[in-house]
Amino acid sequence: MKIAIAGAGAMGSRFGVKLQAAGNDVTLIDNWTDHVAAINANGLIVTRDDGKDQVYPMTALAPNDVTTTFDLVILFTKTMQMDQMLTDLHDVLANHPAVLTLANGIGNVETIEKHVPRSQIVVGTTVWSSGLVGPGHIKVTGTGSISLQAVAPASFSNLGDIISTLNAAGLKASPADDVMAAIWKKAGLNSVLNTYCTLLDCNIGEFGALPNWRELNDAVLDEFQAVAAAAKITFSASAVTTLIAAQFSPETNGGHYPSMHQDMANHRPTEIDFLNGYVARLGKQLGVPAPHNAILAQLIHSQEALVTAKD
Amino acid sequence: MKIAIAGAGAMGSRFGVKLQAAGNDVTLIDNWTDHVAAINANGLIVTRDDGKDQVYPMTALAPNDVTTTFDLVILFTKTMQMDQMLTDLHDVLANHPAVLTLANGIGNVETIEKHVPRSQIVVGTTVWSSGLVGPGHIKVTGTGSISLQAVAPASFSNLGDIISTLNAAGLKASPADDVMAAIWKKAGLNSVLNTYCTLLDCNIGEFGALPNWRELNDAVLDEFQAVAAAAKITFSASAVTTLIAAQFSPETNGGHYPSMHQDMANHRPTEIDFLNGYVARLGKQLGVPAPHNAILAQLIHSQEALVTAKD
C-alpha cells in the first residue's frame, strides 16, 4: 500500500518504520525541517526497548514538497496542527486516499471533514506509544494496539484492507464497534488528568492523593456525560472515573506527568481546545452548559500565555 | 472606651496602637504566644513610613486569659479563624460589647451572629494596611479610612460613639449607607485578583496582561451579580471590573502579589471559602448556580493540599 504519515513525530515515525518494514511504500511528511533533513541524510534512528539503535532508511518530505498520490494518509499531527496539515496536503487529498486519524482529543473528525469527504475518513484510538529523542531519532517502548472504525461505514468498503495492512506490520489493529465512545472515554480521562495535573503542577499520583480529587473529577465528567448524551455519544462518567482511579498507584501511572504538563513545561501550546474546551463549545451549541470545562480551558490558556510571556 | 482587639496581627496591632494613643484602654488579644509574649516584654515595635522604629507599651493576652469586659471588641482575625476566636471569647461577649468586624471576605456577619446578637454587630470595610515583621513588630505604610454600619441600625444606638472614638484616633471612620454592597464589592475584587493570581502564580499586572483576563473576570463576577441579586445585595459586575482594571498598572498594584498568593506561598490556609467559595455555597442555597466560583474554590483547596503535602 502507498502510505503517507502526515505528522511524522514520535508516533508517526514508529508507525512509518513498521509499515515500511512490512513492505509498504511509506512517505513521512513533517513540518520540522531539521527532522526531515536528518531522516533523509542518515535514515530514521530507532532506539529500542533493549537500548540498541537501529537505522531505517526512510523518505521524508515537507508537506508542500509532496507530489505523489497515496492509498492511505495516516494523520499523526497534534490535533491543533491538523487543520494546517490538511490544508497543505490539499493536492494529495484530491486523489481520494483513505484518511486515518488516531490522534488524541475530540473534534478531529470535524476538522478532517472540512478537507475530506466523510466516506473516506477512518477514525481510531491507539495505545501504542513512542518518544522523540531529537531530529531523525525516536525511542520506542512496549507494544500497543489499534481500534478503528469508518466514520461512514456504509460507504467505506476497504476497512478490511487497512486493518490487514496494519496487522501485517504488527500494529495489532481491530475493528471498533463504537469508536466515538472510545475517543470520548480517552478524552474524558485526559480532560481530568492532563488538565488538572497541568493547572496544579502535580503528577498523577499527587492528583489522586488530593482530598477533593473526586469533586474536581466529577466537575469535568458530569458535564462530559451531559454533553455526550445530547450529542448521542455513549459516555459513562463512572466508568471513566474508575479508569482514572486506576492510574493513581505508583505501579501504574502515579509517578507520571501527563503530556499536557510536558507541553506546558516546554512552552508548547496544549490540546486543551480539543479536550475540555471542545466539550464546552459543543455543550454551548447543543444547549447543554459545561461551565466547569469552559473555565478550565480558559485557565490552561492563561497558563500558556504566562509561560510564553516569560520566553 | 475599653476596647479589645481580637486578632492582633498587623492590622489589629496598628489599630490598637492608634486607639491607645488617643486615650482608650486597649487590650490586644491573639493566639500567637510568641507575639503576645514579645509585646508584654518589650512593647509593640512599629516601623513607620520613614523607616524609624517607635515602641508602644501595650497589654496583650491569649484569648483564654481575658477576664475583663469591654465596650467594643474589634475583630481582626482572619475570616477562617473568627469562629474559634468568638468561641474563645464567650465570657467576654456575654457582657454585651459592641462587636466590629472590618475583615475581608463575605460571610463574617453570619459567623458573628452565631455568637453575638445582631443588634450588637457593626460591620465595615477599611483600606488601612499594615505588615507583620515578626513577633511584637509591625511595619505601617500610608493612611486609610473606615466605612461602617450597624447590621441592625434600628436597634443600635451608639454607632456615633464608635465613629467618634475611631476618628479621635485618626482612623478616618464614616458611616456607610450600604456596607454589604461595599463588602461584596471588595470580595468581588478579591475573588478575581486573589484567586486567579494564586492559582496561576502571577502578579496583578501579569493577570491584567492575559489575553483572556476578561473571560476569567466575568466567569467570577457574573455569578457574583446573580447570587447578590438573589440575596438582595447591591452588586455591579461592571463596576467591580472597572475597579479591577484600575489595579493593573505598575503605578497602582501591577507589581503586587495579592495576600492569598502570599498565604499559599507560605503554606497558610487561604480565605477562599469566604470569597468564591462563599458565593458558590450561597448560590446553591438560593438556587442560583455559581459553578465557576465553585470549581475555583475547589482548585485553591487542591493547591493548599499540594503545598501542604510538600511541607
Side-chain angles (χ1 to χ4, degrees):
Chain A
M1 210 176 254
K2 261 196 98 178
I3 301 172
I5 307 285
M11 282 287 282
S13 292
R14 183 170 195 182
F15 271 59
V17 163
K18 288 179 88 71
L19 287 162
Q20 180 170 284
N24 298 287
D25 178 357
V26 174
T27 303
L28 303 179
I29 302 172
D30 207 277
N31 274 305
W32 187 18
T33 50
D34 287 354
H35 186 53
V36 167
I39 294 169
N40 288 320
N42 313 315
L44 184 78
I45 305 165
V46 180
T47 303
R48 296 183 318 193
D49 263 345
D50 59 10
K52 293 207 177 118
D53 286 353
Q54 196 153 354
V55 179
Y56 296 88
M58 302 277 302
T59 302
L61 290 172
N64 290 320
D65 296 337
V66 182
T67 52
T68 49
T69 64
F70 300 96
D71 304 310
L72 173 65
V73 174
I74 307 182
L75 275 171
F76 262 125
T77 60
K78 285 260 180 190
T79 291
M80 56 276 193
Q81 286 139 14
M82 195 175 281
D83 193 61
Q84 184 60 49
M85 176 62 81
L86 290 162
T87 302
D88 291 343
L89 295 182
H90 177 268
D91 292 350
V92 170
L93 298 173
N95 287 297
H96 309 299
V99 174
L100 166 64
T101 177
L102 301 173
N104 279 331
I106 31 184
N108 292 325
V109 172
E110 286 90 327
T111 302
I112 302 172
E113 276 184 308
K114 290 195 277 170
H115 304 270
V116 177
R118 278 176 78 76
S119 59
Q120 289 164 239
I121 306 174
V122 182
V123 60
T125 57
T126 181
V127 292
W128 286 96
S129 68
S130 180
L132 196 62
V133 179
H137 189 175
I138 64 168
K139 184 177 191 322
V140 303
T141 49
T143 65
S145 61
I146 302 169
S147 175
L148 77 179
Q149 190 176 33
V151 169
S155 52
F156 192 93
S157 58
N158 59 337
L159 188 69
D161 291 351
I162 291 174
I163 289 176
S164 300
T165 300
L166 293 168
N167 281 330
L171 286 161
K172 299 183 194 163
S174 58
D177 287 334
D178 187 351
V179 78
M180 289 311 285
I183 288 173
W184 274 66
K185 188 174 187 176
K186 194 164 180 181
L189 176 131
N190 285 331
S191 294
V192 171
L193 294 180
N194 274 271
T195 303
Y196 287 123
C197 289
T198 303
L199 198 52
L200 296 169
D201 188 19
C202 64
N203 66 29
I204 290 169
E206 288 166 341
F207 173 76
L210 289 174
N212 66 345
W213 79 265
R214 269 307 295 265
E215 281 84 353
L216 297 179
N217 177 84
D218 294 359
V220 168
L221 296 184
D222 289 350
E223 292 178 358
F224 257 72
Q225 188 162 297
V227 174
K232 302 195 194 313
I233 288 161
T234 306
F235 187 88
S236 158
S238 70
V240 177
T241 301
T242 303
L243 186 63
I244 286 169
Q247 313 302 313
F248 294 160
S249 98
E251 284 75 43
T252 54
N253 281 315
H256 180 74
Y257 287 87
S259 62
M260 190 187 289
H261 188 280
Q262 297 171 42
D263 287 337
M264 189 67 77
N266 292 306
H267 301 194
R268 289 190 298 252
T270 71
E271 294 184 319
I272 192 72
D273 284 340
F274 302 91
L275 295 170
N276 311 75
Y278 180 85
V279 167
R281 286 196 306 281
L282 183 59
K284 202 167 185 181
Q285 280 171 32
L286 299 176
V288 181
H292 297 128
N293 282 282
I295 193 153
L296 287 167
Q298 288 290 346
L299 285 165
I300 293 290
H301 282 313
S302 301
Q303 224 177 19
E304 289 171 338
L306 283 166
V307 298
T308 309
K310 287 169 186 164
D311 277 349
Chain B
M1 210 176 255
K2 262 197 97 176
I3 301 172
I5 307 285
M11 282 288 281
S13 293
R14 184 171 195 183
F15 271 58
V17 163
K18 289 179 89 71
L19 286 162
Q20 179 170 284
N24 298 286
D25 178 358
V26 174
T27 303
L28 303 179
I29 302 173
D30 208 277
N31 274 304
W32 187 17
T33 50
D34 288 354
H35 186 51
V36 167
I39 293 168
N40 288 320
N42 313 316
L44 184 79
I45 306 164
V46 180
T47 303
R48 297 184 317 194
D49 264 346
D50 59 11
K52 295 209 177 115
D53 286 354
Q54 196 151 354
V55 179
Y56 296 88
M58 303 277 302
T59 302
L61 290 172
N64 290 319
D65 296 336
V66 182
T67 52
T68 49
T69 64
F70 299 96
D71 304 311
L72 173 64
V73 174
I74 307 182
L75 275 170
F76 260 125
T77 60
K78 286 259 181 190
T79 291
M80 56 279 192
Q81 287 140 13
M82 195 175 280
D83 193 59
Q84 185 60 50
M85 177 61 84
L86 289 163
T87 302
D88 291 343
L89 295 182
H90 177 267
D91 293 350
V92 170
L93 298 173
N95 287 298
H96 309 300
V99 175
L100 165 64
T101 178
L102 301 172
N104 279 330
I106 31 184
N108 292 324
V109 173
E110 286 89 328
T111 302
I112 302 172
E113 275 185 308
K114 290 195 277 169
H115 303 271
V116 177
R118 278 176 78 76
S119 59
Q120 289 163 240
I121 306 173
V122 182
V123 60
T125 57
T126 181
V127 291
W128 286 96
S129 67
S130 180
L132 195 62
V133 179
H137 189 175
I138 65 169
K139 184 178 190 325
V140 302
T141 49
T143 65
S145 61
I146 302 168
S147 175
L148 77 179
Q149 189 176 34
V151 169
S155 52
F156 192 93
S157 57
N158 59 336
L159 188 69
D161 291 349
I162 293 174
I163 290 177
S164 300
T165 301
L166 294 168
N167 280 330
L171 285 161
K172 298 183 195 164
S174 58
D177 287 334
D178 187 352
V179 76
M180 290 310 286
I183 288 173
W184 275 66
K185 188 173 186 178
K186 194 164 180 183
L189 176 133
N190 285 330
S191 293
V192 171
L193 293 180
N194 274 270
T195 303
Y196 287 122
C197 288
T198 303
L199 198 52
L200 297 169
D201 189 19
C202 63
N203 65 29
I204 290 170
E206 288 167 341
F207 173 77
L210 288 174
N212 66 346
W213 79 265
R214 269 307 294 265
E215 282 84 354
L216 297 179
N217 177 83
D218 295 359
V220 167
L221 296 185
D222 289 350
E223 292 178 358
F224 257 72
Q225 188 163 297
V227 174
K232 303 195 193 312
I233 289 162
T234 306
F235 187 89
S236 157
S238 70
V240 177
T241 301
T242 303
L243 186 63
I244 287 169
Q247 313 302 312
F248 294 160
S249 99
E251 285 75 43
T252 54
N253 281 314
H256 180 74
Y257 286 86
S259 63
M260 190 187 289
H261 188 280
Q262 296 172 41
D263 286 337
M264 190 67 79
N266 291 307
H267 302 194
R268 290 189 298 252
T270 70
E271 294 184 318
I272 192 73
D273 284 339
F274 302 92
L275 295 169
N276 312 75
Y278 180 84
V279 167
R281 287 196 306 281
L282 182 59
K284 203 166 184 181
Q285 279 170 31
L286 299 176
V288 181
H292 297 126
N293 282 282
I295 193 152
L296 288 167
Q298 289 289 346
L299 286 165
I300 292 290
H301 282 313
S302 301
Q303 224 178 18
E304 289 171 337
L306 283 165
V307 298
T308 308
K310 285 168 188 164
D311 278 348

